[in-house]
Amino acid sequence: MPHRQLKRSEKLQLLLNEEELKTIDDWRFIHRLPSRAAALRELLRRGLLATTEDDQPNADNASTSEFHVVDSQVKDILDAAENPKKQRS
């Protein structure tokens, strides 16, 4: 089945702090993606595929500032991908 080009007509704005942006840029570099937009699309796709009902955050009365891109688990995964020799030790 040939790949079809989808027209992108909606713009999504997202504010990130420096650490979140660096984490996305590092992930993009590790996976050799051509742009931040491509990296974010791929991360969204993977997140949607991996999410189950049990993984849903409790969003009741939560503010947007309570949702983060970076946590210790994400840092550990990126560190392991950047330094595979370190993981083997």
Side-chain angles (χ1 to χ4, degrees), residues 3-8:
H3 182 270
R4 63 184 179 137
Q5 194 69 359
L6 299 176
K7 182 178 178 189
R8 295 190 171 113

Side-chain angles (χ1 to χ4, degrees), residues 46-57:
R46 289 178 182 208
L48 290 169
L49 288 171
T51 303
T52 65
E53 289 298 318
D54 294 338
D55 295 330
Q56 297 300 318

Side-chain angles (χ1 to χ4, degrees), residues 4-87:
R4 63 184 179 137
Q5 194 69 359
L6 299 176
K7 182 178 178 189
R8 295 190 171 113
S9 61
E10 297 296 322
K11 184 176 185 177
L12 176 66
Q13 293 186 10
L14 176 67
L15 294 174
L16 300 172
N17 64 37
E18 279 186 43
E19 182 182 30
E20 292 171 326
L21 188 58
K22 182 184 180 324
T23 300
I24 290 169
D25 284 343
D26 290 348
W27 189 88
R28 172 189 167 205
F29 177 77
I30 290 166
H31 296 300
R32 306 290 191 248
L33 292 164
S35 66
R36 282 181 178 161
L40 289 170
R41 283 187 200 100
E42 180 60 16
L43 287 165
L44 287 168
R45 186 187 72 79
R46 289 178 182 208
L48 290 169
L49 288 171
T51 303
T52 65
E53 289 298 318
D54 294 338
D55 295 330
Q56 297 300 318
N58 183 359
D60 296 340
N61 301 318
S63 88
T64 188
S65 64
E66 295 178 47
F67 296 89
H68 304 279
V69 170
V70 181
D71 63 19
S72 61
Q73 186 178 9
V74 169
K75 287 180 184 178
D76 291 346
I77 291 168
L78 285 173
D79 286 346
E82 289 176 345
N83 304 307
K85 290 180 184 175
K86 203 186 236 187
Q87 189 178 16

